[in-house]
Amino acid sequence: MYTQALDIPDQAATALVAPPSHLQPVASAAQARSQSHFDAVMDADGKIEPQDWMPEAYRKTLVRQISQHAHSEIVGMQPEGNWISRAPSLKRKAILIAKVQDEGGHGLYLYSAAETLGTSRDQMLEALHTGRAKYSSIFNYPTVLWADVGVIGWLVDGAAIMNQIPLCRCTYGPYARAMIRICKEESFHQRQGFESLMVQMQGTQAQRDMVQDAVNRWWWPVLAMFGPPDTDSPNTAQTSRWGIKRISNDDLRQRFVDATVPQAKVLGVTLPDADLKWNDSKKCHDYGAIDWDDFWAVVNGNGPCNKERLSNRVNAHTNGQWVRDAAQAYAAKQRARAQHDLMEAA
Ligand code: 3HC
């Protein structure tokens, strides 16, 4: 339902086209022209739009990445949603509600962008709910203190911005355009997190300790959030060639570390890494080893909150069935009324 898919090649035809485009035989002169148009757009760093021909591997990669991104946004509502009823003031509650709502909105833009590639929202949600689809590792950690909410804004949204700004220039038009608005909102999210932490750091020693505790717990999962090292990232080479990924996982991680160190100083917290230091010859910070075993355990469903996050999501979807039914009944009524009016007028 709610599909925004435009005309796409029929399923039976595309199901047979399994190998990547460069290995596929050129079936016809028309297909050769389509491929060379696509290649020219890639070479010129232009935009591919939903109605344009594209290799199946490009389409599949985009559906994978955009749907994972959408899933991350909607699952990402849970760790902070957990604090809406316990926010320490009306102002903080209003900000948090707006932020969590924004994340839901980001999920909707992204599902819509992915639907233009011919995969329905139902299919994407089914993949999420059955555990076949990934979502960001970072949302499988608990939010045990109010300070965690500020740290999510500062570090998680900060990392998301670092990763997502380059996606505004991605070659797939609907994804690039969705990311422009998302990044503006993420920027507000990051600032509200930093500002909330600033206020807590000016409070009591107990409040400062809670902020430091939250920073200690979130720092390493945030660094891992950028994805595996470039040497272990199977998708980077191809997505970079297609202008989807503009900056590699390791380069983004490095930029994030370099941007965050001075912010931590302003805030008055320490980052929990004894190896973190400025390297004057490289003109960037060295940092310690990330625990990739822990990262993969979380990605594979065995993090501290994976099961809870997924079951909450499935329950929310099941409990929301009546809303979808009502929306469909209303749309059917509107269609019937419009048809009736048309016949009356004729
Ligand atoms: N969590 C879970 N899985 C991850 C991951 C993470 N942090 N990082 C990488 N992976 C997965 C990849 O999805 C891939 O699995 P797949 O091939 O089965 O899909 C595998 O690990 C290998 O990684 P690669 O580096 O080769 O994969 P990608 O090239 O796709 O890079 C990515 C991973 C950087 C996350 C990229 O997909 C991307 O930029 N995605 C768009 C942004 C996004 O999804 N961000 C998620 C956070 S959203 C968010 O933070 C919301 C905000 O409100 C806070």
Side-chain angles (χ1 to χ4, degrees):
M1 73 182 288
Y2 301 136
T3 188
Q4 304 205 0
L6 303 172
D7 295 343
I8 52 157
D10 86 41
Q11 297 274 317
T14 56
L16 299 172
V17 191
S21 65
H22 62 282
L23 299 178
Q24 293 164 20
V26 176
S28 64
Q31 194 178 341
R33 273 198 304 278
S34 301
Q35 177 74 54
S36 79
H37 174 257
F38 177 85
D39 293 343
V41 172
M42 292 295 119
D43 291 346
D45 203 9
K47 290 274 181 279
I48 291 291
E49 296 298 338
Q51 306 278 22
D52 294 339
W53 182 90
M54 62 188 86
E56 273 313 295
Y58 178 80
R59 183 189 299 280
K60 259 187 161 166
T61 292
L62 283 167
V63 171
R64 175 186 66 80
Q65 175 163 330
I66 303 172
S67 64
Q68 284 178 4
H69 193 166
H71 300 330
S72 305
E73 299 282 356
I74 59 165
V75 175
M77 297 167 78
Q78 292 185 38
E80 291 173 285
N82 169 38
W83 277 92
I84 289 175
S85 59
R86 296 178 289 156
S89 69
L90 184 59
K91 172 181 148 186
R92 295 291 169 199
K93 192 189 196 85
I95 294 172
L96 186 56
I97 289 172
K99 178 182 190 289
V100 171
Q101 200 167 291
D102 282 352
E103 308 297 4
H106 298 172
L108 300 186
Y109 311 149
L110 290 165
Y111 284 125
S112 297
E115 281 177 311
T116 64
L117 292 153
T119 301
S120 74
R121 195 171 303 193
D122 282 346
Q123 287 171 306
M124 290 184 265
L125 287 176
E126 209 258 333
L128 172 65
H129 295 164
T130 53
R132 282 185 292 116
K134 292 189 171 76
Y135 60 87
S136 182
S137 51
I138 197 69
F139 300 118
N140 292 302
Y141 294 88
T143 41
V144 293
L145 300 169
W146 168 249
D148 289 44
V149 172
V151 169
I152 289 179
W154 174 39
L155 295 181
V156 175
D157 290 84
I161 295 169
M162 196 59 90
N163 165 271
Q164 292 173 18
I165 293 276
L167 292 172
C168 299
R169 292 185 291 117
C170 146
T171 50
Y172 188 56
Y175 192 24
R177 290 189 286 274
M179 289 317 302
I180 292 171
R181 176 151 180 192
I182 290 176
C183 284
K184 286 185 182 157
E185 292 175 352
E186 297 294 8
S187 169
F188 152 72
H189 296 171
Q190 196 265 356
R191 283 171 204 199
Q192 66 78 36
F194 190 79
E195 192 269 343
S196 169
L197 295 177
M198 266 307 221
V199 171
Q200 292 172 65
M201 289 302 286
Q202 285 153 20
T204 63
Q205 186 57 44
Q207 285 175 304
R208 283 191 286 279
D209 291 346
M210 286 190 273
V211 173
Q212 184 62 59
D213 181 55
V215 171
N216 293 349
R217 283 179 289 104
W218 285 92
W219 176 248
W220 290 105
V222 167
L223 290 195
M225 181 183 159
F226 289 94
D230 294 349
T231 44
D232 298 327
S233 164
N235 300 314
T236 293
Q238 184 60 77
T239 47
S240 303
R241 271 200 292 278
W242 279 328
I244 299 170
K245 188 180 274 191
R246 299 283 175 166
I247 304 174
S248 79
N249 300 358
D250 282 334
D251 287 349
L252 285 172
R253 196 168 6 249
Q254 184 68 58
R255 287 181 192 203
F256 175 76
V257 170
D258 293 336
T260 307
V261 168
Q263 294 170 11
K265 277 206 186 93
V266 172
L267 203 51
V269 294
T270 53
L271 298 171
D273 178 359
D275 297 321
L276 182 64
K277 57 178 180 307
W278 178 251
N279 181 325
D280 204 39
S281 59
K282 291 202 290 183
K283 300 290 175 216
C284 63
H285 291 86
D286 290 332
Y287 56 89
I290 294 171
D291 183 348
W292 292 111
D293 291 339
D294 179 65
F295 168 77
W296 288 115
V298 175
V299 171
N300 291 323
N302 300 313
C305 299
N306 293 61
K307 290 179 183 58
E308 180 189 331
R309 300 284 185 250
L310 207 55
S311 93
N312 285 346
R313 171 93 271 289
V314 172
N315 287 341
H317 188 72
T318 309
N319 295 337
Q321 184 60 46
W322 70 271
V323 179
R324 295 189 294 280
D325 290 345
Q328 275 192 327
Y330 180 72
K333 216 185 243 178
Q334 294 288 93
R335 266 197 311 274
R337 198 167 288 161
Q339 210 164 15
H340 177 263
D341 290 351
L342 214 66
M343 275 157 61
E344 291 274 288

mmCIF file of all heavy atoms in Angstrom, residues 64-65 68-69 72-73 103 134-137 139 156-157 160 163-164 167 175 186 224-228 233-236 239 245 249 295-296 299, ligand 1:
data_model
loop_
_atom_site.group_PDB
_atom_site.id
_atom_site.type_symbol
_atom_site.label_atom_id
_atom_site.label_comp_id
_atom_site.label_asym_id
_atom_site.label_seq_id
_atom_site.Cartn_x
_atom_site.Cartn_y
_atom_site.Cartn_z
ATOM 1 N N ARG A 64 18.437 -1.485 -1.209
ATOM 2 C CA ARG A 64 19.086 -1.989 0.016
ATOM 3 C C ARG A 64 19.465 -0.824 0.935
ATOM 4 O O ARG A 64 19.062 -0.770 2.089
ATOM 5 C CB ARG A 64 20.348 -2.786 -0.358
ATOM 6 C CG ARG A 64 21.162 -3.262 0.838
ATOM 7 C CD ARG A 64 22.477 -3.917 0.420
ATOM 8 N NE ARG A 64 23.415 -3.002 -0.205
ATOM 9 C CZ ARG A 64 24.207 -2.144 0.456
ATOM 10 N NH1 ARG A 64 24.188 -2.099 1.770
ATOM 11 N NH2 ARG A 64 25.028 -1.326 -0.185
ATOM 12 N N GLN A 65 20.198 0.131 0.384
ATOM 13 C CA GLN A 65 20.703 1.205 1.248
ATOM 14 C C GLN A 65 19.586 2.128 1.746
ATOM 15 O O GLN A 65 19.534 2.471 2.924
ATOM 16 C CB GLN A 65 21.774 2.024 0.509
ATOM 17 C CG GLN A 65 22.230 3.218 1.358
ATOM 18 C CD GLN A 65 23.534 3.825 0.909
ATOM 19 O OE1 GLN A 65 24.394 3.129 0.371
ATOM 20 N NE2 GLN A 65 23.700 5.121 1.138
ATOM 21 N N GLN A 68 17.370 0.318 4.307
ATOM 22 C CA GLN A 68 18.078 0.182 5.594
ATOM 23 C C GLN A 68 18.098 1.524 6.322
ATOM 24 O O GLN A 68 17.945 1.586 7.536
ATOM 25 C CB GLN A 68 19.539 -0.240 5.369
ATOM 26 C CG GLN A 68 19.716 -1.696 5.021
ATOM 27 C CD GLN A 68 21.193 -2.040 4.756
ATOM 28 O OE1 GLN A 68 22.087 -1.198 4.910
ATOM 29 N NE2 GLN A 68 21.436 -3.265 4.374
ATOM 30 N N HIS A 69 18.300 2.565 5.545
ATOM 31 C CA HIS A 69 18.333 3.909 6.134
ATOM 32 C C HIS A 69 16.962 4.255 6.738
ATOM 33 O O HIS A 69 16.863 4.736 7.873
ATOM 34 C CB HIS A 69 18.736 4.903 5.038
ATOM 35 C CG HIS A 69 19.103 6.256 5.542
ATOM 36 N ND1 HIS A 69 19.755 7.182 4.767
ATOM 37 C CD2 HIS A 69 18.893 6.861 6.736
ATOM 38 C CE1 HIS A 69 19.929 8.280 5.474
ATOM 39 N NE2 HIS A 69 19.400 8.115 6.670
ATOM 40 N N SER A 72 16.384 2.416 9.884
ATOM 41 C CA SER A 72 17.177 2.989 10.985
ATOM 42 C C SER A 72 16.443 4.182 11.599
ATOM 43 O O SER A 72 16.437 4.378 12.813
ATOM 44 C CB SER A 72 18.548 3.466 10.487
ATOM 45 O OG SER A 72 19.221 2.424 9.848
ATOM 46 N N GLU A 73 15.834 4.974 10.729
ATOM 47 C CA GLU A 73 15.136 6.164 11.237
ATOM 48 C C GLU A 73 13.958 5.766 12.120
ATOM 49 O O GLU A 73 13.755 6.333 13.192
ATOM 50 C CB GLU A 73 14.621 7.029 10.068
ATOM 51 C CG GLU A 73 15.715 7.563 9.153
ATOM 52 C CD GLU A 73 16.458 8.770 9.718
ATOM 53 O OE1 GLU A 73 16.092 9.258 10.795
ATOM 54 O OE2 GLU A 73 17.428 9.211 9.059
ATOM 55 N N GLU A 103 12.263 12.050 13.177
ATOM 56 C CA GLU A 103 12.888 10.781 12.758
ATOM 57 C C GLU A 103 11.849 9.922 12.024
ATOM 58 O O GLU A 103 12.148 9.285 11.015
ATOM 59 C CB GLU A 103 13.462 9.980 13.934
ATOM 60 C CG GLU A 103 14.403 10.721 14.877
ATOM 61 C CD GLU A 103 15.691 11.214 14.237
ATOM 62 O OE1 GLU A 103 15.868 11.056 13.021
ATOM 63 O OE2 GLU A 103 16.515 11.805 14.962
ATOM 64 N N LYS A 134 18.636 -5.088 7.448
ATOM 65 C CA LYS A 134 19.446 -4.472 8.509
ATOM 66 C C LYS A 134 18.905 -3.081 8.852
ATOM 67 O O LYS A 134 18.216 -2.458 8.046
ATOM 68 C CB LYS A 134 20.890 -4.330 8.032
ATOM 69 C CG LYS A 134 21.627 -5.657 7.838
ATOM 70 C CD LYS A 134 23.114 -5.377 7.586
ATOM 71 C CE LYS A 134 23.949 -6.634 7.609
ATOM 72 N NZ LYS A 134 23.808 -7.441 6.386
ATOM 73 N N TYR A 135 19.259 -2.616 10.017
ATOM 74 C CA TYR A 135 19.101 -1.205 10.375
ATOM 75 C C TYR A 135 20.319 -0.857 11.216
ATOM 76 O O TYR A 135 21.057 -1.749 11.654
ATOM 77 C CB TYR A 135 17.781 -0.935 11.117
ATOM 78 C CG TYR A 135 17.623 -1.682 12.417
ATOM 79 C CD1 TYR A 135 18.111 -1.158 13.604
ATOM 80 C CD2 TYR A 135 17.012 -2.929 12.455
ATOM 81 C CE1 TYR A 135 17.989 -1.847 14.806
ATOM 82 C CE2 TYR A 135 16.887 -3.625 13.651
ATOM 83 C CZ TYR A 135 17.376 -3.080 14.817
ATOM 84 O OH TYR A 135 17.260 -3.776 15.996
ATOM 85 N N SER A 136 20.532 0.433 11.463
ATOM 86 C CA SER A 136 21.811 0.834 12.067
ATOM 87 C C SER A 136 22.035 0.184 13.431
ATOM 88 O O SER A 136 21.163 0.201 14.309
ATOM 89 C CB SER A 136 21.882 2.354 12.199
ATOM 90 O OG SER A 136 23.143 2.695 12.736
ATOM 91 N N SER A 137 23.245 -0.329 13.605
ATOM 92 C CA SER A 137 23.692 -0.935 14.866
ATOM 93 C C SER A 137 23.445 -0.019 16.071
ATOM 94 O O SER A 137 23.130 -0.486 17.161
ATOM 95 C CB SER A 137 25.192 -1.226 14.765
ATOM 96 O OG SER A 137 25.895 -0.071 14.326
ATOM 97 N N PHE A 139 21.180 1.788 17.159
ATOM 98 C CA PHE A 139 19.898 1.870 17.870
ATOM 99 C C PHE A 139 19.600 0.632 18.708
ATOM 100 O O PHE A 139 18.486 0.452 19.196
ATOM 101 C CB PHE A 139 18.777 2.192 16.874
ATOM 102 C CG PHE A 139 19.026 3.500 16.188
ATOM 103 C CD1 PHE A 139 19.203 3.575 14.811
ATOM 104 C CD2 PHE A 139 19.149 4.667 16.929
ATOM 105 C CE1 PHE A 139 19.488 4.779 14.187
ATOM 106 C CE2 PHE A 139 19.436 5.879 16.321
ATOM 107 C CZ PHE A 139 19.598 5.936 14.943
ATOM 108 N N VAL A 156 25.288 10.782 18.059
ATOM 109 C CA VAL A 156 24.659 9.921 17.037
ATOM 110 C C VAL A 156 24.166 10.779 15.868
ATOM 111 O O VAL A 156 24.445 10.484 14.702
ATOM 112 C CB VAL A 156 23.510 9.073 17.640
ATOM 113 C CG1 VAL A 156 22.797 8.281 16.549
ATOM 114 C CG2 VAL A 156 24.042 8.141 18.729
ATOM 115 N N ASP A 157 23.461 11.853 16.190
ATOM 116 C CA ASP A 157 23.001 12.710 15.095
ATOM 117 C C ASP A 157 24.173 13.424 14.430
ATOM 118 O O ASP A 157 24.162 13.649 13.220
ATOM 119 C CB ASP A 157 21.943 13.703 15.592
ATOM 120 C CG ASP A 157 20.640 12.993 15.934
ATOM 121 O OD1 ASP A 157 20.532 12.470 17.059
ATOM 122 O OD2 ASP A 157 19.755 12.912 15.082
ATOM 123 N N ALA A 160 25.498 10.956 12.122
ATOM 124 C CA ALA A 160 24.554 10.796 11.001
ATOM 125 C C ALA A 160 24.736 11.945 10.002
ATOM 126 O O ALA A 160 24.758 11.727 8.787
ATOM 127 C CB ALA A 160 23.119 10.748 11.518
ATOM 128 N N ASN A 163 27.783 11.468 7.865
ATOM 129 C CA ASN A 163 27.577 10.419 6.861
ATOM 130 C C ASN A 163 26.579 10.862 5.776
ATOM 131 O O ASN A 163 26.681 10.450 4.618
ATOM 132 C CB ASN A 163 27.075 9.153 7.602
ATOM 133 C CG ASN A 163 26.482 8.116 6.678
ATOM 134 O OD1 ASN A 163 25.290 8.151 6.392
ATOM 135 N ND2 ASN A 163 27.304 7.207 6.193
ATOM 136 N N GLN A 164 25.625 11.704 6.177
ATOM 137 C CA GLN A 164 24.492 11.937 5.280
ATOM 138 C C GLN A 164 24.607 13.186 4.399
ATOM 139 O O GLN A 164 23.954 13.269 3.363
ATOM 140 C CB GLN A 164 23.191 11.943 6.096
ATOM 141 C CG GLN A 164 22.911 10.542 6.649
ATOM 142 C CD GLN A 164 21.749 10.455 7.612
ATOM 143 O OE1 GLN A 164 20.909 11.352 7.667
ATOM 144 N NE2 GLN A 164 21.678 9.388 8.378
ATOM 145 N N LEU A 167 25.403 12.367 1.003
ATOM 146 C CA LEU A 167 24.315 11.697 0.271
ATOM 147 C C LEU A 167 23.391 12.699 -0.438
ATOM 148 O O LEU A 167 22.632 12.331 -1.328
ATOM 149 C CB LEU A 167 23.490 10.816 1.223
ATOM 150 C CG LEU A 167 24.219 9.583 1.777
ATOM 151 C CD1 LEU A 167 23.372 8.907 2.857
ATOM 152 C CD2 LEU A 167 24.535 8.594 0.663
ATOM 153 N N TYR A 175 16.576 10.176 -3.703
ATOM 154 C CA TYR A 175 17.329 9.990 -2.446
ATOM 155 C C TYR A 175 18.071 11.293 -2.106
ATOM 156 O O TYR A 175 18.015 11.770 -0.974
ATOM 157 C CB TYR A 175 18.313 8.828 -2.625
ATOM 158 C CG TYR A 175 18.978 8.293 -1.360
ATOM 159 C CD1 TYR A 175 18.404 8.442 -0.095
ATOM 160 C CD2 TYR A 175 20.190 7.595 -1.436
ATOM 161 C CE1 TYR A 175 19.009 7.924 1.042
ATOM 162 C CE2 TYR A 175 20.801 7.072 -0.302
ATOM 163 C CZ TYR A 175 20.215 7.249 0.938
ATOM 164 O OH TYR A 175 20.825 6.727 2.067
ATOM 165 N N GLU A 186 18.500 17.067 10.945
ATOM 166 C CA GLU A 186 19.519 16.413 11.784
ATOM 167 C C GLU A 186 20.431 17.459 12.437
ATOM 168 O O GLU A 186 20.939 17.258 13.538
ATOM 169 C CB GLU A 186 20.391 15.440 10.970
ATOM 170 C CG GLU A 186 19.671 14.247 10.357
ATOM 171 C CD GLU A 186 19.116 13.247 11.360
ATOM 172 O OE1 GLU A 186 19.147 13.515 12.574
ATOM 173 O OE2 GLU A 186 18.631 12.194 10.927
ATOM 174 N N ALA A 224 31.706 2.983 15.484
ATOM 175 C CA ALA A 224 31.435 1.785 14.668
ATOM 176 C C ALA A 224 30.278 2.012 13.694
ATOM 177 O O ALA A 224 30.191 1.374 12.643
ATOM 178 C CB ALA A 224 31.116 0.597 15.575
ATOM 179 N N MET A 225 29.423 2.943 14.042
ATOM 180 C CA MET A 225 28.226 3.218 13.236
ATOM 181 C C MET A 225 28.546 3.569 11.778
ATOM 182 O O MET A 225 27.739 3.353 10.879
ATOM 183 C CB MET A 225 27.518 4.393 13.929
ATOM 184 C CG MET A 225 26.260 4.880 13.345
ATOM 185 S SD MET A 225 25.759 6.314 14.356
ATOM 186 C CE MET A 225 24.663 7.104 13.191
ATOM 187 N N PHE A 226 29.750 4.106 11.534
ATOM 188 C CA PHE A 226 30.124 4.473 10.154
ATOM 189 C C PHE A 226 30.330 3.253 9.263
ATOM 190 O O PHE A 226 30.529 3.392 8.058
ATOM 191 C CB PHE A 226 31.393 5.330 10.163
ATOM 192 C CG PHE A 226 31.167 6.711 10.710
ATOM 193 C CD1 PHE A 226 31.390 7.002 12.051
ATOM 194 C CD2 PHE A 226 30.687 7.719 9.888
ATOM 195 C CE1 PHE A 226 31.158 8.272 12.562
ATOM 196 C CE2 PHE A 226 30.453 8.994 10.381
ATOM 197 C CZ PHE A 226 30.692 9.273 11.720
ATOM 198 N N GLY A 227 30.290 2.065 9.871
ATOM 199 C CA GLY A 227 30.444 0.840 9.084
ATOM 200 C C GLY A 227 31.851 0.285 9.182
ATOM 201 O O GLY A 227 32.753 0.926 9.732
ATOM 202 N N PRO A 228 32.049 -0.930 8.666
ATOM 203 C CA PRO A 228 33.345 -1.609 8.812
ATOM 204 C C PRO A 228 34.464 -0.815 8.158
ATOM 205 O O PRO A 228 34.222 0.063 7.325
ATOM 206 C CB PRO A 228 33.116 -2.936 8.080
ATOM 207 C CG PRO A 228 31.956 -2.718 7.185
ATOM 208 C CD PRO A 228 31.097 -1.683 7.836
ATOM 209 N N SER A 233 34.833 -3.512 3.704
ATOM 210 C CA SER A 233 33.528 -2.972 3.294
ATOM 211 C C SER A 233 33.230 -3.432 1.859
ATOM 212 O O SER A 233 33.726 -2.841 0.901
ATOM 213 C CB SER A 233 33.567 -1.442 3.379
ATOM 214 O OG SER A 233 32.503 -0.881 2.666
ATOM 215 N N PRO A 234 32.435 -4.493 1.706
ATOM 216 C CA PRO A 234 32.248 -5.055 0.373
ATOM 217 C C PRO A 234 31.515 -4.130 -0.603
ATOM 218 O O PRO A 234 31.687 -4.240 -1.813
ATOM 219 C CB PRO A 234 31.404 -6.319 0.638
ATOM 220 C CG PRO A 234 30.798 -6.130 1.989
ATOM 221 C CD PRO A 234 31.704 -5.220 2.755
ATOM 222 N N ASN A 235 30.723 -3.189 -0.068
ATOM 223 C CA ASN A 235 29.892 -2.377 -0.967
ATOM 224 C C ASN A 235 30.554 -1.087 -1.442
ATOM 225 O O ASN A 235 30.097 -0.476 -2.412
ATOM 226 C CB ASN A 235 28.570 -2.013 -0.268
ATOM 227 C CG ASN A 235 27.775 -3.250 0.109
ATOM 228 O OD1 ASN A 235 27.619 -4.162 -0.703
ATOM 229 N ND2 ASN A 235 27.287 -3.308 1.341
ATOM 230 N N THR A 236 31.612 -0.657 -0.734
ATOM 231 C CA THR A 236 32.141 0.688 -0.999
ATOM 232 C C THR A 236 32.601 0.896 -2.441
ATOM 233 O O THR A 236 32.265 1.915 -3.049
ATOM 234 C CB THR A 236 33.289 1.017 -0.020
ATOM 235 O OG1 THR A 236 32.725 1.115 1.287
ATOM 236 C CG2 THR A 236 33.960 2.345 -0.356
ATOM 237 N N THR A 239 29.524 1.276 -4.814
ATOM 238 C CA THR A 239 28.668 2.445 -4.543
ATOM 239 C C THR A 239 29.434 3.749 -4.773
ATOM 240 O O THR A 239 28.835 4.759 -5.146
ATOM 241 C CB THR A 239 28.069 2.422 -3.111
ATOM 242 O OG1 THR A 239 29.093 2.124 -2.183
ATOM 243 C CG2 THR A 239 26.951 1.421 -2.974
ATOM 244 N N LYS A 245 27.996 6.471 -2.608
ATOM 245 C CA LYS A 245 28.873 6.766 -1.462
ATOM 246 C C LYS A 245 29.976 7.703 -1.973
ATOM 247 O O LYS A 245 30.675 7.394 -2.927
ATOM 248 C CB LYS A 245 29.480 5.476 -0.919
ATOM 249 C CG LYS A 245 30.240 5.654 0.381
ATOM 250 C CD LYS A 245 30.830 4.344 0.896
ATOM 251 C CE LYS A 245 29.848 3.556 1.723
ATOM 252 N NZ LYS A 245 30.470 2.420 2.455
ATOM 253 N N ASN A 249 33.881 4.880 4.556
ATOM 254 C CA ASN A 249 33.552 4.716 5.983
ATOM 255 C C ASN A 249 34.682 5.258 6.873
ATOM 256 O O ASN A 249 34.439 6.001 7.828
ATOM 257 C CB ASN A 249 33.342 3.231 6.316
ATOM 258 C CG ASN A 249 32.211 2.594 5.525
ATOM 259 O OD1 ASN A 249 31.540 3.253 4.739
ATOM 260 N ND2 ASN A 249 31.991 1.301 5.727
ATOM 261 N N PHE A 295 30.650 -5.047 17.141
ATOM 262 C CA PHE A 295 29.833 -4.429 16.089
ATOM 263 C C PHE A 295 29.060 -5.503 15.311
ATOM 264 O O PHE A 295 27.848 -5.408 15.134
ATOM 265 C CB PHE A 295 30.741 -3.626 15.146
ATOM 266 C CG PHE A 295 30.082 -3.177 13.869
ATOM 267 C CD1 PHE A 295 29.220 -2.098 13.853
ATOM 268 C CD2 PHE A 295 30.337 -3.839 12.663
ATOM 269 C CE1 PHE A 295 28.614 -1.675 12.671
ATOM 270 C CE2 PHE A 295 29.736 -3.426 11.487
ATOM 271 C CZ PHE A 295 28.877 -2.338 11.485
ATOM 272 N N TRP A 296 29.763 -6.564 14.874
ATOM 273 C CA TRP A 296 29.084 -7.577 14.065
ATOM 274 C C TRP A 296 28.063 -8.358 14.879
ATOM 275 O O TRP A 296 27.024 -8.772 14.347
ATOM 276 C CB TRP A 296 30.099 -8.511 13.379
ATOM 277 C CG TRP A 296 30.814 -7.800 12.265
ATOM 278 C CD1 TRP A 296 32.142 -7.491 12.200
ATOM 279 C CD2 TRP A 296 30.224 -7.261 11.067
ATOM 280 N NE1 TRP A 296 32.418 -6.797 11.041
ATOM 281 C CE2 TRP A 296 31.257 -6.637 10.325
ATOM 282 C CE3 TRP A 296 28.921 -7.225 10.548
ATOM 283 C CZ2 TRP A 296 31.038 -6.009 9.091
ATOM 284 C CZ3 TRP A 296 28.696 -6.598 9.329
ATOM 285 C CH2 TRP A 296 29.740 -5.996 8.608
ATOM 286 N N VAL A 299 25.096 -6.116 14.742
ATOM 287 C CA VAL A 299 24.486 -6.112 13.398
ATOM 288 C C VAL A 299 23.742 -7.431 13.164
ATOM 289 O O VAL A 299 22.674 -7.462 12.550
ATOM 290 C CB VAL A 299 25.571 -5.903 12.305
ATOM 291 C CG1 VAL A 299 24.993 -6.104 10.911
ATOM 292 C CG2 VAL A 299 26.187 -4.519 12.432
HETATM 293 N N1 3HC B 1 24.735 -0.950 11.272
HETATM 294 C C1 3HC B 1 24.239 -2.036 10.653
HETATM 295 N N2 3HC B 1 24.771 -2.534 9.501
HETATM 296 C C2 3HC B 1 25.822 -1.880 8.979
HETATM 297 C C3 3HC B 1 26.377 -0.735 9.570
HETATM 298 C C4 3HC B 1 25.794 -0.271 10.774
HETATM 299 N N3 3HC B 1 26.264 0.789 11.441
HETATM 300 N N4 3HC B 1 27.416 -0.323 8.824
HETATM 301 C C5 3HC B 1 27.518 -1.180 7.781
HETATM 302 N N5 3HC B 1 26.561 -2.126 7.901
HETATM 303 C C6 3HC B 1 26.332 -3.251 7.009
HETATM 304 C C7 3HC B 1 26.005 -2.784 5.603
HETATM 305 O O1 3HC B 1 24.630 -2.495 5.484
HETATM 306 C C8 3HC B 1 26.462 -3.973 4.774
HETATM 307 O O2 3HC B 1 25.495 -5.009 4.844
HETATM 308 P P1 3HC B 1 24.619 -5.456 3.534
HETATM 309 O O3 3HC B 1 25.583 -5.560 2.387
HETATM 310 O O4 3HC B 1 23.992 -6.715 3.952
HETATM 311 O O5 3HC B 1 23.626 -4.368 3.313
HETATM 312 C C9 3HC B 1 27.657 -4.488 5.548
HETATM 313 O O6 3HC B 1 27.535 -3.962 6.873
HETATM 314 C C10 3HC B 1 28.982 -4.066 4.947
HETATM 315 O O7 3HC B 1 29.155 -2.646 5.059
HETATM 316 P P2 3HC B 1 29.539 -1.681 3.858
HETATM 317 O O8 3HC B 1 30.386 -0.586 4.400
HETATM 318 O O9 3HC B 1 30.097 -2.457 2.713
HETATM 319 O O10 3HC B 1 28.078 -1.178 3.480
HETATM 320 P P3 3HC B 1 27.616 0.212 2.849
HETATM 321 O O11 3HC B 1 28.547 0.615 1.763
HETATM 322 O O12 3HC B 1 26.169 0.124 2.567
HETATM 323 O O13 3HC B 1 27.869 1.288 4.032
HETATM 324 C C11 3HC B 1 26.571 2.692 5.452
HETATM 325 C C12 3HC B 1 27.154 1.293 5.217
HETATM 326 C C13 3HC B 1 27.709 3.674 5.679
HETATM 327 C C14 3HC B 1 25.678 2.640 6.695
HETATM 328 C C15 3HC B 1 25.769 3.103 4.188
HETATM 329 O O14 3HC B 1 24.807 2.123 3.902
HETATM 330 C C16 3HC B 1 25.072 4.421 4.332
HETATM 331 O O15 3HC B 1 25.683 5.468 4.230
HETATM 332 N N6 3HC B 1 23.751 4.408 4.516
HETATM 333 C C17 3HC B 1 22.914 5.585 4.565
HETATM 334 C C18 3HC B 1 22.890 6.211 5.915
HETATM 335 C C19 3HC B 1 22.338 5.299 6.969
HETATM 336 O O16 3HC B 1 21.671 4.326 6.709
HETATM 337 N N7 3HC B 1 22.599 5.625 8.236
HETATM 338 C C20 3HC B 1 22.088 4.836 9.331
HETATM 339 C C21 3HC B 1 21.895 5.671 10.479
HETATM 340 S S1 3HC B 1 20.438 6.640 10.314
HETATM 341 C C22 3HC B 1 20.481 7.613 11.608
HETATM 342 O O17 3HC B 1 21.482 7.641 12.204
HETATM 343 C C23 3HC B 1 19.226 8.332 11.966
HETATM 344 C C24 3HC B 1 19.439 9.597 12.670
HETATM 345 O O18 3HC B 1 18.208 10.099 12.972
HETATM 346 C C25 3HC B 1 20.246 9.572 13.884
#
